[in-house]
């Protein structure tokens, strides 16, 4: 049993973000319309952003979610706003050529800028801050590899950074656990719940119809162009549409079989501390940035944007008997990273489902009125927003819908049907890999 003394009296097993952006419980859910121009499955950043742009273009747009609107990762994530993928420029260059690698990272930057643009033009108050990111090196070798990777990014993409040697680390984070690190000054943070809520509000004002608590069980095509339609079967009846977008990411139901065979859902976990003295947070995290490390399997820390708490995530992909156990384990790691935090209590713990793909890359695709966007591998705030807009353009037949993220096939593996039993093993492998690199073995780190 996790130690009870480490939890506040009002401790909650739900996302901290829901305090300010609670899920709307609609009971009974509104009737399912008989038809629409576009049906979107999934109400996270991807689905809602697509819906917003489609409705503004005059399309009759219905968003269906199996749960409450915003139930998925979009109101559960850490709110790190970055432009990094699990595959770095060097890896992409080696496997797909320099042109492809640069196109990927230029579009990733566009995705990052899209969030800033959307927040500004839609006037969404979501605590978007350009706070900079600290990446801690978990070994001297990781430090060298990080410097090399960031130098490549600077040379090829103009991305600014500076290295922080171990001796100067306390100016960034009150920790001795890292072997130095790096700052990327122009990355940001956001309140992911308020961002999502803002998008939902704008979409609703634009005329988008939201149908929560309704699971899509199958999408069947009837006829061919120009009279092609889709029958979208749900737990509450059938809706007919000219276009369908599947935006279900880590929550993809197994009955959406084609997509489920290509997406690897895995659990992410986060905790929030009790309210802490301002002076303590200023001592622990002086610049109030976002913080993570060079490993594949990362721990991530940030101050809350709206109260004096520290939020932390990690143990991704772990199996656990209860969220309280995970909370206790994350707290132990937090205290190892920031010993000065002392005997801290926790106010929240939560989990959310991320989505990996077999090539670690996000994918957008589909044709003839049936599209998808998935596999953000921890970059879902920028990529979900960006893909949402691209998906809208695709449905509208606009050339801006094209993207480098549709050029590689979204692959499955033989026998894989959507049961990610191997995720804990994969995480162990990443841990071993990081340890091996840390011993000076040839290879590369991952500056997430
Ligand atoms: C703990 C955690 C931390 C993260 N941190 C970050 C971060 O700091 N920065 C970052 O950029 N990204 C982060 N991510 C990733 C990011 O949150 C996701 O990539 C992003 O929210 C995905 O958005 P989405 O709209 O595609 O899907 P989601 O928001 O997950 O929404 C999918 C929706 O589809 C619905 N659905 C699924 N199947 C069906 C069906 N058959 N019928 C109807 N509805 C269905 C689900 O109910 C769900 O509401 C994190 C994720 C987690 C879990």
């Amino acid at each position: 049993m996790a130690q009870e003394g480490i939890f506040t009296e009002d401790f909650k097993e739900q996302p901290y973000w829901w305090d300010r952006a609670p899920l709307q419980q609609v009971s009974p859910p509104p009737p399912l319309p008989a038809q629409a121009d576009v049906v979107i499955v999934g109400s996270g950043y991807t689905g809602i952003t697509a819906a917003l742009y489609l409705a503004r273009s005059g399309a009759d747009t219905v968003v269906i979610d199996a749960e409450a609107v915003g139930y998925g990762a979009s109101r559960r994530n850490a709110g790190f706003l970055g432009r990094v993928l699990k595959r770095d420029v060097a890896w992409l260059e080696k496997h797909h050529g320099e042109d492809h690698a640069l196109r990927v990272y230029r579009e990733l930057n566009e995705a990052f800028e899209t969030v800033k643009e959307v927040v500004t033009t839609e006037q969404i108050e979501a605590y978007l801050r350009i706070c900079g990111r600290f990446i801690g090196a978990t070994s001297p070798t990781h430090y060298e590899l990080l410097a090399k990777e960031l130098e490549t990014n600077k040379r090829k993409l103009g991305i600014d950074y500076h290295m922080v040697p171990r001796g100067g680390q306390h100016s960034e984070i009150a920790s001795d656990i890292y072997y130095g690190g790096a700052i990327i000054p122009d990355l940001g943070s956001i309140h992911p719940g308020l961002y999502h809520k803002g998008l939902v509000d704008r979409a609703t004002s634009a005329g988008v119809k939201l149908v929560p608590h309704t699971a899509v069980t199958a999408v069947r095509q009837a006829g061919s162009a120009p009279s092609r339609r889709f029958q979208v079967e749900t737990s509450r009846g059938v809706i007919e549409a000219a276009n369908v977008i599947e935006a279900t990411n880590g929550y993809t139901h197994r009955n959406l079989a084609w997509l489920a065979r290509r997406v690897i859902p895995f659990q992410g976990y986060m905790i929030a501390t009790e309210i802490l003295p301002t002076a303590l947070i200023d001592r622990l995290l002086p610049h109030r940035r976002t913080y993570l490390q060079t490993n594949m399997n990362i721990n991530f820390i940030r101050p809350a944007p709206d109260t004096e708490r520290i939020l932390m995530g990690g143990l991704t992909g772990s199996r656990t008997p209860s969220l309280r156990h995970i909370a206790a384990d994350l707290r132990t790691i937090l205290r190892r990273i920031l010993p000065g935090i002392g005997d801290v209590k926790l106010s929240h713990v939560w989990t959310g489902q991320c989505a990996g793909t077999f090539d670690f890359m996000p994918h957008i695709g589909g044709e003839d009125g049936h599209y998808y966007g998935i596999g953000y591998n921890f970059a879902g705030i920028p990529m979900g927003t960006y893909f949402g807009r691209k998906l809208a353009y695709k449905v509208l037949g606009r050339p801006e819908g094209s993207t480098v993220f549709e050029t590689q096939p979204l692959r499955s593996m033989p026998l894989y049907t959507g049961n990610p039993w191997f995720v804990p093993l994969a995480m162990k492998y990443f841990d071993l890999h990081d340890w091996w690199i840390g011993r000076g073995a040839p290879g590369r780190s991952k500056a997430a």
Side-chain angles (χ1 to χ4, degrees):
M1 186 66 191
Q3 320 135 46
E4 285 305 315
I6 65 171
F7 302 114
T8 59
E9 275 178 16
D10 58 351
F11 175 74
K12 294 179 196 163
E13 291 188 16
Q14 72 169 42
Y16 170 70
W17 312 116
W18 294 8
D19 288 3
R20 293 283 304 279
L23 302 188
Q24 297 295 320
Q25 299 303 335
V26 187
S27 179
L32 185 71
Q35 53 188 27
D37 293 333
V38 191
V39 164
I40 297 174
V41 192
S43 66
Y45 302 131
T46 313
I48 292 292
T49 310
L52 172 63
Y53 286 98
L54 285 163
R56 292 242 175 97
S57 302
D60 178 20
T61 307
V62 173
V63 176
I64 301 179
D65 202 291
E67 308 286 344
V69 168
Y71 175 83
S74 298
R75 285 200 197 188
R76 296 168 183 268
N77 63 69
F80 284 40
L81 186 58
R83 42 158 190 254
V84 182
L85 295 172
K86 288 290 176 195
R87 297 301 192 193
D88 62 16
V89 174
W91 189 95
L92 287 168
E93 215 174 284
K94 187 169 161 206
H95 291 82
H96 301 293
E98 185 181 34
D99 180 54
H100 182 86
L102 296 183
R103 279 175 68 202
V104 164
Y105 270 83
R106 285 193 186 121
E107 278 201 42
L108 193 55
N109 188 49
E110 220 177 304
F112 174 79
E113 294 296 331
T114 302
V115 176
K116 287 165 50 182
E117 179 199 320
V118 168
V119 165
T120 307
T121 53
E122 301 297 336
Q123 300 185 336
I124 298 174
E125 183 35 74
Y127 296 91
L128 172 59
R129 302 273 180 273
I130 299 306
C131 54
R133 178 177 295 182
F134 174 82
I135 304 165
T138 51
S139 72
T141 311
H142 279 97
Y143 184 84
E144 298 303 324
L145 291 169
L146 177 63
K148 199 168 146 199
E149 179 182 338
L150 294 178
E151 175 50 32
T152 304
N153 290 354
K154 169 120 192 180
R155 190 163 29 86
K156 299 204 171 202
L157 296 156
I159 296 174
D160 205 10
Y161 76 99
H162 61 266
M163 298 305 291
V164 182
R166 194 174 196 189
Q169 185 168 288
H170 275 248
S171 65
E172 286 296 334
I173 181 167
S175 182
D176 292 315
I177 206 164
Y178 301 120
Y179 293 79
I183 302 292
I184 305 179
D186 64 343
L187 297 188
S189 64
I190 197 165
H191 187 305
L194 288 176
Y195 176 47
H196 183 264
K197 182 181 176 305
L199 290 172
V200 172
D201 291 345
R202 300 302 175 272
T204 317
S205 303
V208 172
K209 297 182 192 110
L210 303 173
V211 184
H213 305 296
T214 304
V216 170
T217 50
V219 178
R220 299 188 202 287
Q221 187 174 332
S224 49
S227 58
R228 179 199 61 227
R229 304 287 288 175
F230 294 93
Q231 303 282 329
V232 181
E233 296 174 14
T234 81
S235 52
R236 294 175 59 236
V238 177
I239 172 170
E240 197 179 271
N243 300 276
V244 176
I245 293 173
E246 292 181 27
T248 50
N249 210 45
Y251 288 79
T252 304
H253 286 196
R254 296 276 282 278
N255 46 27
L256 300 177
W258 189 88
L259 214 51
R261 287 202 58 229
R262 288 161 174 80
V263 70
I264 308 159
F266 54 93
Q267 299 294 125
Y269 300 99
M270 291 200 69
I271 50 173
T273 68
E274 63 187 321
I275 298 212
L276 300 171
T278 300
L280 177 62
I281 300 187
D282 287 341
R283 197 164 72 243
L284 297 174
L285 309 172
H287 301 287
R288 296 190 178 227
R289 304 188 192 278
T290 57
Y291 304 81
L292 38 69
Q293 356 82 334
T294 45
N295 291 358
M296 278 292 276
N297 185 6
I298 51 172
N299 299 313
F300 38 100
I301 294 176
R302 64 168 288 183
D306 52 345
T307 60
E308 295 292 69
R309 298 171 202 268
I310 290 179
L311 313 180
M312 190 232 171
L315 297 174
T316 305
S318 304
R319 298 262 191 268
T320 176
S322 77
L323 279 179
R324 285 190 176 228
H325 280 85
I326 278 283
D329 291 347
L330 283 175
R331 177 178 176 272
T332 304
I333 298 169
L334 177 63
R335 294 180 73 206
R336 206 177 296 144
I337 298 171
L338 296 174
I341 201 167
D343 202 12
V344 68
K345 289 195 178 193
L346 304 181
S347 61
H348 298 70
V349 63
W350 69 99
T351 182
Q353 283 173 212
C354 310
T357 50
F358 285 102
D359 64 359
F360 293 90
M361 291 295 288
H363 287 265
I364 187 169
E367 56 191 0
D368 299 334
H370 191 174
Y371 304 100
Y372 62 84
I374 58 152
Y376 304 133
N377 292 278
F378 207 73
I381 303 174
M383 290 311 295
T385 309
Y386 185 69
F387 274 14
R389 191 150 80 172
K390 290 278 178 199
L391 287 161
Y393 291 150
K394 282 185 179 297
V395 167
L396 296 168
R398 286 174 52 175
E400 302 97 302
S402 73
T403 156
V404 69
F405 292 99
E406 65 192 344
T407 58
Q408 298 298 318
L410 174 57
R411 294 190 196 285
S412 181
M413 284 281 174
L415 303 180
Y416 180 65
T417 58
N419 173 11
W421 58 268
F422 47 83
V423 166
L425 295 178
M427 298 317 281
K428 289 270 177 287
Y429 166 78
F430 293 143
D431 289 343
L432 196 65
H433 178 265
D434 286 329
W435 171 82
W436 182 244
I437 297 294
R439 283 171 51 96
R444 29 178 303 282
S445 73
K446 181 64 237 133

mmCIF file with all atom_site columns, all heavy atoms in Angstrom, residues 52 91 143 201 225 350 380 440:
data_model
loop_
_atom_site.group_PDB
_atom_site.id
_atom_site.type_symbol
_atom_site.label_atom_id
_atom_site.label_alt_id
_atom_site.label_comp_id
_atom_site.label_asym_id
_atom_site.label_entity_id
_atom_site.label_seq_id
_atom_site.pdbx_PDB_ins_code
_atom_site.Cartn_x
_atom_site.Cartn_y
_atom_site.Cartn_z
_atom_site.occupancy
_atom_site.B_iso_or_equiv
_atom_site.pdbx_formal_charge
_atom_site.auth_seq_id
_atom_site.auth_comp_id
_atom_site.auth_asym_id
_atom_site.auth_atom_id
_atom_site.pdbx_PDB_model_num
ATOM 1  N N   . LEU A 1 52  ? -13.029 22.950 -36.042 1.00 0.00 ? 52  LEU A N   1
ATOM 2  C CA  . LEU A 1 52  ? -13.103 24.414 -36.013 1.00 0.00 ? 52  LEU A CA  1
ATOM 3  C C   . LEU A 1 52  ? -12.918 24.982 -37.423 1.00 0.00 ? 52  LEU A C   1
ATOM 4  O O   . LEU A 1 52  ? -13.717 25.802 -37.899 1.00 0.00 ? 52  LEU A O   1
ATOM 5  C CB  . LEU A 1 52  ? -12.030 24.952 -35.062 1.00 0.00 ? 52  LEU A CB  1
ATOM 6  C CG  . LEU A 1 52  ? -11.813 26.457 -35.017 1.00 0.00 ? 52  LEU A CG  1
ATOM 7  C CD1 . LEU A 1 52  ? -13.063 27.175 -34.535 1.00 0.00 ? 52  LEU A CD1 1
ATOM 8  C CD2 . LEU A 1 52  ? -10.644 26.797 -34.093 1.00 0.00 ? 52  LEU A CD2 1
ATOM 9  N N   . TRP A 1 91  ? 19.100  11.055 -37.484 1.00 0.00 ? 91  TRP A N   1
ATOM 10 C CA  . TRP A 1 91  ? 18.478  9.752  -37.778 1.00 0.00 ? 91  TRP A CA  1
ATOM 11 C C   . TRP A 1 91  ? 17.662  9.836  -39.066 1.00 0.00 ? 91  TRP A C   1
ATOM 12 O O   . TRP A 1 91  ? 17.746  8.965  -39.944 1.00 0.00 ? 91  TRP A O   1
ATOM 13 C CB  . TRP A 1 91  ? 17.587  9.325  -36.605 1.00 0.00 ? 91  TRP A CB  1
ATOM 14 C CG  . TRP A 1 91  ? 17.098  7.909  -36.734 1.00 0.00 ? 91  TRP A CG  1
ATOM 15 C CD1 . TRP A 1 91  ? 17.649  6.798  -36.183 1.00 0.00 ? 91  TRP A CD1 1
ATOM 16 C CD2 . TRP A 1 91  ? 15.961  7.453  -37.498 1.00 0.00 ? 91  TRP A CD2 1
ATOM 17 N NE1 . TRP A 1 91  ? 16.936  5.680  -36.548 1.00 0.00 ? 91  TRP A NE1 1
ATOM 18 C CE2 . TRP A 1 91  ? 15.895  6.053  -37.356 1.00 0.00 ? 91  TRP A CE2 1
ATOM 19 C CE3 . TRP A 1 91  ? 15.007  8.080  -38.291 1.00 0.00 ? 91  TRP A CE3 1
ATOM 20 C CZ2 . TRP A 1 91  ? 14.910  5.271  -37.967 1.00 0.00 ? 91  TRP A CZ2 1
ATOM 21 C CZ3 . TRP A 1 91  ? 14.034  7.313  -38.915 1.00 0.00 ? 91  TRP A CZ3 1
ATOM 22 C CH2 . TRP A 1 91  ? 14.001  5.928  -38.736 1.00 0.00 ? 91  TRP A CH2 1
ATOM 23 N N   . TYR A 1 143 ? 25.915  14.195 -22.324 1.00 0.00 ? 143 TYR A N   1
ATOM 24 C CA  . TYR A 1 143 ? 26.180  15.633 -22.454 1.00 0.00 ? 143 TYR A CA  1
ATOM 25 C C   . TYR A 1 143 ? 26.849  15.918 -23.803 1.00 0.00 ? 143 TYR A C   1
ATOM 26 O O   . TYR A 1 143 ? 26.457  16.833 -24.527 1.00 0.00 ? 143 TYR A O   1
ATOM 27 C CB  . TYR A 1 143 ? 27.065  16.088 -21.288 1.00 0.00 ? 143 TYR A CB  1
ATOM 28 C CG  . TYR A 1 143 ? 27.335  17.582 -21.268 1.00 0.00 ? 143 TYR A CG  1
ATOM 29 C CD1 . TYR A 1 143 ? 26.432  18.464 -20.702 1.00 0.00 ? 143 TYR A CD1 1
ATOM 30 C CD2 . TYR A 1 143 ? 28.516  18.085 -21.819 1.00 0.00 ? 143 TYR A CD2 1
ATOM 31 C CE1 . TYR A 1 143 ? 26.691  19.837 -20.681 1.00 0.00 ? 143 TYR A CE1 1
ATOM 32 C CE2 . TYR A 1 143 ? 28.777  19.449 -21.803 1.00 0.00 ? 143 TYR A CE2 1
ATOM 33 C CZ  . TYR A 1 143 ? 27.869  20.310 -21.233 1.00 0.00 ? 143 TYR A CZ  1
ATOM 34 O OH  . TYR A 1 143 ? 28.124  21.673 -21.219 1.00 0.00 ? 143 TYR A OH  1
ATOM 35 N N   . ASP A 1 201 ? -14.581 25.809 -27.120 1.00 0.00 ? 201 ASP A N   1
ATOM 36 C CA  . ASP A 1 201 ? -15.487 26.973 -27.102 1.00 0.00 ? 201 ASP A CA  1
ATOM 37 C C   . ASP A 1 201 ? -15.571 27.611 -28.491 1.00 0.00 ? 201 ASP A C   1
ATOM 38 O O   . ASP A 1 201 ? -16.657 27.941 -28.972 1.00 0.00 ? 201 ASP A O   1
ATOM 39 C CB  . ASP A 1 201 ? -15.012 28.018 -26.087 1.00 0.00 ? 201 ASP A CB  1
ATOM 40 C CG  . ASP A 1 201 ? -15.174 27.522 -24.652 1.00 0.00 ? 201 ASP A CG  1
ATOM 41 O OD1 . ASP A 1 201 ? -15.890 26.524 -24.432 1.00 0.00 ? 201 ASP A OD1 1
ATOM 42 O OD2 . ASP A 1 201 ? -14.551 28.126 -23.749 1.00 0.00 ? 201 ASP A OD2 1
ATOM 43 N N   . ALA A 1 225 ? -17.096 7.869  -55.600 1.00 0.00 ? 225 ALA A N   1
ATOM 44 C CA  . ALA A 1 225 ? -17.237 9.285  -55.998 1.00 0.00 ? 225 ALA A CA  1
ATOM 45 C C   . ALA A 1 225 ? -17.995 9.370  -57.319 1.00 0.00 ? 225 ALA A C   1
ATOM 46 O O   . ALA A 1 225 ? -17.846 8.483  -58.157 1.00 0.00 ? 225 ALA A O   1
ATOM 47 C CB  . ALA A 1 225 ? -15.846 9.888  -56.125 1.00 0.00 ? 225 ALA A CB  1
ATOM 48 N N   . TRP A 1 350 ? -2.473  11.376 -12.039 1.00 0.00 ? 350 TRP A N   1
ATOM 49 C CA  . TRP A 1 350 ? -3.348  10.989 -13.149 1.00 0.00 ? 350 TRP A CA  1
ATOM 50 C C   . TRP A 1 350 ? -2.570  10.246 -14.223 1.00 0.00 ? 350 TRP A C   1
ATOM 51 O O   . TRP A 1 350 ? -1.345  10.187 -14.201 1.00 0.00 ? 350 TRP A O   1
ATOM 52 C CB  . TRP A 1 350 ? -4.084  12.188 -13.734 1.00 0.00 ? 350 TRP A CB  1
ATOM 53 C CG  . TRP A 1 350 ? -3.274  13.203 -14.483 1.00 0.00 ? 350 TRP A CG  1
ATOM 54 C CD1 . TRP A 1 350 ? -3.136  13.303 -15.837 1.00 0.00 ? 350 TRP A CD1 1
ATOM 55 C CD2 . TRP A 1 350 ? -2.533  14.315 -13.940 1.00 0.00 ? 350 TRP A CD2 1
ATOM 56 N NE1 . TRP A 1 350 ? -2.356  14.398 -16.157 1.00 0.00 ? 350 TRP A NE1 1
ATOM 57 C CE2 . TRP A 1 350 ? -1.985  15.034 -15.022 1.00 0.00 ? 350 TRP A CE2 1
ATOM 58 C CE3 . TRP A 1 350 ? -2.292  14.776 -12.645 1.00 0.00 ? 350 TRP A CE3 1
ATOM 59 C CZ2 . TRP A 1 350 ? -1.203  16.181 -14.849 1.00 0.00 ? 350 TRP A CZ2 1
ATOM 60 C CZ3 . TRP A 1 350 ? -1.507  15.918 -12.475 1.00 0.00 ? 350 TRP A CZ3 1
ATOM 61 C CH2 . TRP A 1 350 ? -0.979  16.598 -13.557 1.00 0.00 ? 350 TRP A CH2 1
ATOM 62 N N   . GLY A 1 380 ? 2.115   16.048 -29.040 1.00 0.00 ? 380 GLY A N   1
ATOM 63 C CA  . GLY A 1 380 ? 0.732   16.152 -29.518 1.00 0.00 ? 380 GLY A CA  1
ATOM 64 C C   . GLY A 1 380 ? 0.141   17.544 -29.456 1.00 0.00 ? 380 GLY A C   1
ATOM 65 O O   . GLY A 1 380 ? -0.829  17.825 -30.161 1.00 0.00 ? 380 GLY A O   1
ATOM 66 N N   . GLY A 1 440 ? 29.454  5.212  -22.246 1.00 0.00 ? 440 GLY A N   1
ATOM 67 C CA  . GLY A 1 440 ? 30.390  5.611  -23.283 1.00 0.00 ? 440 GLY A CA  1
ATOM 68 C C   . GLY A 1 440 ? 30.336  4.729  -24.511 1.00 0.00 ? 440 GLY A C   1
ATOM 69 O O   . GLY A 1 440 ? 31.191  4.826  -25.391 1.00 0.00 ? 440 GLY A O   1
#
